[in-house]
């Protein structure tokens, strides 16, 4: 056997997403002996958690951190092909009779450009780790400029050295509000207050439940304590049981109206306060990016966590319902970066055909299970109160793209013919805009179900529960790019003529030269 | 106050100086630094909105990570580019977009390809954005 054919005989593992989950998966798959193609739409690895500055800003300042070491180890590995600025726009199941991982269609080049390079990857096993995005519940005025998802504020600080304002209000629910507050303060932004919608009792009960689980996330308690100290030092109030119910302004946000909430998030009348702001950041937890798992045919699991409580179902080995397709990170449940890492490590090792009984795996599995318990704890401590639609008005925009308002949804639901979500969609145009319902889909589904009188939480009758996330393409592709034939199937063997030097992740040279 | 660039203590002195770049937005020059996204350049220049929705309402960055498509604009004649995901290049000619006067004949620039088998193979995107010509 020649060296080349020995390389060909290795398993080819394709990992989509280079966040904490995907990077750990790639490292484990390499350790198990596979060839790995690691793909991410971003220019640099790290995902949302380890978002780094572009080199032009002086590059990442984390040379010695565990993340930097992992990044170097993975991207510099001779069996790893790193594809930066590469979007997976479709997964193709070649033959429904032949169960196995789908073909992976990718586009490499500047985001949304029109001359990106097309490739088709043929994995022996696929690890999906596309992460999540902020979940933001609508409220009057949330479509004004200057109102941001909490993660946007974080991404702008970490990736662009940019603060969004100097009279910032941060509101919503979940522990994620705290690192955002910390980043804004560290960057010198003026922060008015941090509002956690759930009452202190709910938060405390969630966190105090089964205290032994917390010791499994050793950093977490200390991290929370650090945030509390930081807020106190900057005299930024952290209020529970209060939220933003309206944003106002001419052409951009100028004022936020906050109010006290009962535990079910109904507004306590007479408690409204108006605060002058130049930016408003809102986050109500995260929604998993489910388009790729759905395109691969993976079964979803419904959790009782309110709207968008759907995640990819995986077994104890992180294997989805589709043979050869593994899932790791936030798409299986929102538990933070450490949990995403352990899931990724397990998924990568097993996808590569690594020994399932390897002793080192025992610890990984244990940590993974603790991560899952932690996710359940988060959901319990920071639920979405069932009465939140109480702050909607008839003219409140629900679908940001099509500007479908709450009144239109109410009318469509009252109309017998508009009973099924698909019909609602056509009648109101909700979910039909450029974002393809990523932002409003689960919310429209929840509101429609409720307006029809069904209890929230259950899947809409007669439709797969995944309907809000089903969309024909994972990422936009342009007609010209579609017409071009892709490069020959990429089986992951290193192509010496490929100008993408894996040791220089932020310079995907091939993308630039293919741009007209 | 508006969004603004900041310096961090971890920005080691003596590192490569910031490389300035200039783009045009609807013909007007806007200065930025290399490494910024187009959204970053616009925000740092004090602009919080650049797109108009159907009703005429202004829009800018919302999700910041390429999910909401609120921030799209036209870059070097290519429409519907997510400003928060596209890195600014010196000389980029950016034009803002509007859906306020939705033009039925607007060219459809994006297509959908089947990802899950039970959708048509290629589907015209439902809402092409016509390019605005606000100066
Ligand atoms: C905007 C934002 C900021 C956050 N900041 C923090 C923070 O500061 N601290 C914290 O504790 N938690 C933060 N989180 C929570 C964070 O999601 C998790 O802690 C952690 O990053 C999850 O890891 P992951 O690997 O599952 O996903 P991610 O880190 O989200 O990584 C997923 C990667 O997949 C890529 N991807 C997705 N779809 C495709 C596709 N179709 N083609 C190619 N690539 C694709 C993405 O570009 C991304 O790099 C943030 C979340 C968001 C949405
Ligand atoms: S701000 Fe959401 S896609 Fe750019």
């Amino acid at each position: 056997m020649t060296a080349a054919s020995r390389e060909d005989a290795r398993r080819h593992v394709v990992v989509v997403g280079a966040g904490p989950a995907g990077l750990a998966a790639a490292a484990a798959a390499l350790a198990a002996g596979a060839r790995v193609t690691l793909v991410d739409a971003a220019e640099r690895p790290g995902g949302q958690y380890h978002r780094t500055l572009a080199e032009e800003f002086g590059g990442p300042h984390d040379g010695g951190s565990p993340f930097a070491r992992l990044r170097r180890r993975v991207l510099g590995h001779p069996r790893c092909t790193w594809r930066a600025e590469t979007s997976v726009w479709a997964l193709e199941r070649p033959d429904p009779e032949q169960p196995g991982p789908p073909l992976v269609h990718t586009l490499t080049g500047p985001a949304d450009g029109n001359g990106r390079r097309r490739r088709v990857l043929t994995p022996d096993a696929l690890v999906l780790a596309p992460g999540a995005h902020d979940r933001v519940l609508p409220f009057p005025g949330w479509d004004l400029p200057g109102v941001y998802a909490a993660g946007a504020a974080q991404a702008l600080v970490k990736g662009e050295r940019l603060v969004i304002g100097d009279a910032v209000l941060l509101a919503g629910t979940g522990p994620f509000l705290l690192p955002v507050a910390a980043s804004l303060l560290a960057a010198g932004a003026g922060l008015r207050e941090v509002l956690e919608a759930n009452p202190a009792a709910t938060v405390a009960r969630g966190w105090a439940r089964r205290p032994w689980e917390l010791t499994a996330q050793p950093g977490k308690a200390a991290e929370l304590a650090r945030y509390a100290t930081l807020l106190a030092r900057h005299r930024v109030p952290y209020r529970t049981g209060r939220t933003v119910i309206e944003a106002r302004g001419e052409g951009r946000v100028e004022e936020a109206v906050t109010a006290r909430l009962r535990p079910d998030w109904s507004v306590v009348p007479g408690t409204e306060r108006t605060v002058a702001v130049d930016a408003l950041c809102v986050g109500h937890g995260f929604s998993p990016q489910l388009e790729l798992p759905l395109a691969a045919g993976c079964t979803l699991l419904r959790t009782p966590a309110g709207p968008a409580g759907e995640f990819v179902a995986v077994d104890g080995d992180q294997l989805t319902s589709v043979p050869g397709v593994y899932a790791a990170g936030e798409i299986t449940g929102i538990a933070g970066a450490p949990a995403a890492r352990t899931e990724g490590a397990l998924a990568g090792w097993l996808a590569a055909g690594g020994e399932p009984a390897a002793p080192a795996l025992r610890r990984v599995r244990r940590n993974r299970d603790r991560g899952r318990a932690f996710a359940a704890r988060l959901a319990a401590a920071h639920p979405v109160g069932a009465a939140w639609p109480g702050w909607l008005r008839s003219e409140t925009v629900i679908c940001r793209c099509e500007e479908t308002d709450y009144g239109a949804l109410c009318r469509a639901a009252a109309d017998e013919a508009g009973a099924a979500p698909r019909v609602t969609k056509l009648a109101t145009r909700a979910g039909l805009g450029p974002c393809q319902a990523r932002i409003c889909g689960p919310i429209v589904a929840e509101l429609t179900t409720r307006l029809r009188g069904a209890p929230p939480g259950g899947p809409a009758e007669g439709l797969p529960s995944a309907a809000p996330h089903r969309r024909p393409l994972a990422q936009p592709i342009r007609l010209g790019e579609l017409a071009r034939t892709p490069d020959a199937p990429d089986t992951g063997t290193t192509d010496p003529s490929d100008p993408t030097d894996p040791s220089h992740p932020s310079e995907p040279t091939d993308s630039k030269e293919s741009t007209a | 106050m508006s969004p603004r660039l900041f310096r961090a203590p971890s920005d080691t002195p003596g590192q490569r100086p910031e490389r300035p770049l200039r783009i045009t937005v609807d013909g007007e020059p806007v200065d930025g630094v290399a490494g910024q996204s187009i959204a970053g350049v616009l925000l740092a220049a004090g602009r919080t909105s650049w797109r108009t929705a159907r009703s005429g309402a202004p829009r800018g960055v919302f999700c910041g990570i390429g999910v909401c498509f609120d921030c799209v604009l036209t870059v070097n004649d290519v429409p519907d580019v997510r400003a928060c995901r596209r890195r600014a290049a010196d000389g980029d000619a950016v034009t803002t977009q509007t859906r306020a006067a939705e033009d039925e004949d607007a060219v459809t620039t994006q297509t959908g390809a089947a990802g899950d088998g039970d959708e048509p193979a290629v589907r015209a995107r439902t809402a092409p954005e016509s390019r605005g010509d606000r100066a």
Side-chain angles (χ1 to χ4, degrees):
Chain A
M1 217 187 196
T2 67
S5 61
R6 208 163 34 241
E7 279 303 303
D8 285 344
R10 288 181 186 273
R11 271 174 85 76
H12 178 208
V13 176
V14 171
V15 180
V16 182
L23 261 187
L30 289 166
R35 285 179 293 117
V36 170
T37 304
L38 178 61
V39 174
D40 199 296
E43 294 176 57
R44 296 171 297 282
Q48 303 304 350
Y49 187 79
H50 297 291
R51 182 180 288 272
T52 54
L53 279 175
E55 290 204 330
E56 284 84 347
F57 279 97
H61 301 287
D62 59 349
S65 71
F67 164 68
R69 285 199 300 275
L70 178 67
R71 183 181 56 202
R72 271 198 302 275
R73 187 149 53 82
V74 171
L75 304 194
H77 198 287
R79 272 186 277 110
C80 181
T81 306
W82 157 238
R83 298 251 185 255
E85 276 194 304
T86 300
S87 297
V88 174
W89 64 275
L91 297 176
E92 179 188 351
R93 282 174 280 169
D95 180 359
E97 302 296 302
Q98 287 254 300
L103 299 179
V104 180
H105 290 265
T106 68
L107 281 168
T108 302
D112 299 332
N114 64 350
R116 290 171 294 176
R117 183 162 169 185
R118 268 182 76 188
R119 286 194 183 86
V120 183
L121 310 179
T122 52
D124 295 311
L126 177 62
V127 179
L128 296 175
H133 58 82
D134 287 271
R135 174 170 70 195
V136 183
L137 301 176
F139 55 91
W142 75 310
D143 49 333
L144 280 172
V147 179
Y148 301 91
Q154 184 77 334
L156 289 168
V157 168
K158 282 189 178 179
E160 306 255 357
R161 279 277 183 275
L162 194 116
V163 292
I164 47 158
D166 280 301
V168 183
L169 191 80
L170 192 54
T173 187
F176 179 57
L177 296 178
L178 294 170
V180 178
S183 297
L184 286 171
L185 288 174
L191 185 57
R192 280 285 160 97
E193 52 186 347
V194 181
L195 305 181
E196 161 64 52
N198 283 296
T202 308
V203 176
R205 220 173 18 247
W207 283 92
R209 209 170 57 124
R210 295 202 284 270
W212 61 90
E213 285 171 4
L214 252 195
T215 56
Q217 301 277 327
K220 280 292 164 196
E223 199 182 318
L224 286 177
R226 262 200 318 279
Y227 292 140
T229 315
L230 187 75
L231 289 181
R233 185 149 53 80
H234 288 267
R235 298 206 157 77
V236 176
Y238 176 79
R239 299 183 210 282
T240 52
R242 197 168 187 93
T243 202
V244 169
I245 57 163
E246 185 180 357
R248 294 181 189 150
E250 272 307 311
R252 59 167 296 172
V253 66
E254 290 160 355
E255 279 178 3
V257 180
T258 72
R260 273 211 76 74
L261 297 183
R262 300 192 186 91
D264 68 350
W265 291 24
S266 52
V267 174
V268 181
T271 60
E272 292 85 354
R273 261 208 301 260
T274 305
V275 189
V277 297
D278 61 2
L280 178 56
C281 302
V282 186
H284 299 99
F286 295 97
S287 284
Q289 311 244 38
L290 294 177
E291 45 274 0
L292 291 178
L294 279 168
C298 302
T299 301
L300 300 188
L301 185 77
R302 199 168 175 93
T303 68
E310 269 180 330
F311 295 96
V312 180
V314 287
D315 68 7
D317 288 345
Q318 301 299 130
L319 184 63
T320 69
S321 61
V322 180
V325 179
Y326 294 77
E330 308 275 67
I331 58 167
T332 72
I334 305 301
R341 266 194 293 274
T342 54
E343 288 198 355
L346 194 57
W349 177 266
L350 296 169
E355 171 57 47
L361 233 48
R362 217 170 307 141
R363 197 172 51 87
V364 177
R365 283 183 204 275
R366 199 168 55 231
N367 285 343
R368 191 270 321 270
D369 293 343
R370 287 173 174 169
R372 286 184 179 171
F374 185 68
R377 170 191 288 280
L378 284 187
H382 302 277
V384 169
W388 73 266
W391 64 59
L392 299 177
R393 299 196 197 121
S394 177
E395 69 280 7
T396 305
V397 166
I398 305 293
C399 165
R400 299 175 65 90
C401 297
E402 296 302 303
E403 296 180 295
T404 309
D405 62 27
Y406 187 50
L409 285 186
C410 294
R411 285 191 296 279
D415 176 3
E416 273 303 303
R422 215 179 187 104
V423 182
T424 306
K425 207 166 159 178
L426 292 174
T428 64
R429 299 198 54 80
L432 286 175
C435 96
Q436 304 207 323
R438 282 177 176 88
I439 303 290
C440 76
I443 290 160
V444 170
E446 188 203 350
L447 290 175
T448 307
T449 309
R450 284 168 174 238
L451 289 166
R452 287 165 54 213
E461 235 175 276
L463 264 165
S465 63
H469 301 286
R470 219 169 266 280
R471 50 189 69 92
L473 75 169
Q475 287 291 313
I477 178 169
R478 296 181 189 276
L479 267 182
E481 293 172 327
L482 201 58
R484 217 165 294 146
T485 36
D487 294 4
D490 186 337
T491 51
T493 34
T494 318
D495 170 7
S497 67
D498 190 321
T500 310
D501 180 352
S503 62
H504 291 92
S506 61
E507 290 177 11
T509 38
D510 58 348
S511 62
K512 289 187 182 101
E513 102 201 351
S514 62
T515 313
Chain B
M1 277 282 286
S2 297
R4 58 180 168 82
L5 277 175
F6 67 91
R7 301 214 157 269
S10 57
D11 284 342
T12 5
Q15 272 195 334
R16 268 185 292 179
E18 274 169 9
R19 233 180 334 114
L21 60 77
R22 174 169 287 187
I23 64 173
T24 59
V25 180
D26 295 330
E28 296 288 326
V30 180
D31 291 323
V33 290
Q36 283 180 305
S37 67
I38 291 178
V41 171
L42 287 170
L43 287 169
R47 267 188 90 156
T48 51
S49 62
W50 45 85
R51 195 177 71 92
T52 344
R54 275 168 182 267
S55 67
R59 294 291 173 83
V61 165
F62 177 64
C63 74
I65 59 164
V67 179
C68 73
F69 289 70
D70 257 4
C71 66
V72 295
L73 32 68
T74 298
V75 182
N76 304 326
D77 290 329
V78 179
D80 299 343
V81 174
R82 284 167 282 182
C84 66
R85 297 248 324 242
R86 170 63 77 85
R87 194 198 275 229
D90 194 33
D92 273 346
V94 170
T95 43
T96 54
Q97 295 185 183
T98 179
R99 290 181 72 186
E102 192 115 285
D103 175 3
E104 290 303 318
D105 300 327
V107 186
T108 300
T109 52
Q110 295 185 350
T111 61
D116 62 14
D118 47 37
E119 296 272 352
V122 177
R123 193 191 66 141
R125 226 196 51 189
T126 44
E129 301 215 346
S130 60
R131 227 180 316 146
D133 45 20
R134 295 186 293 134

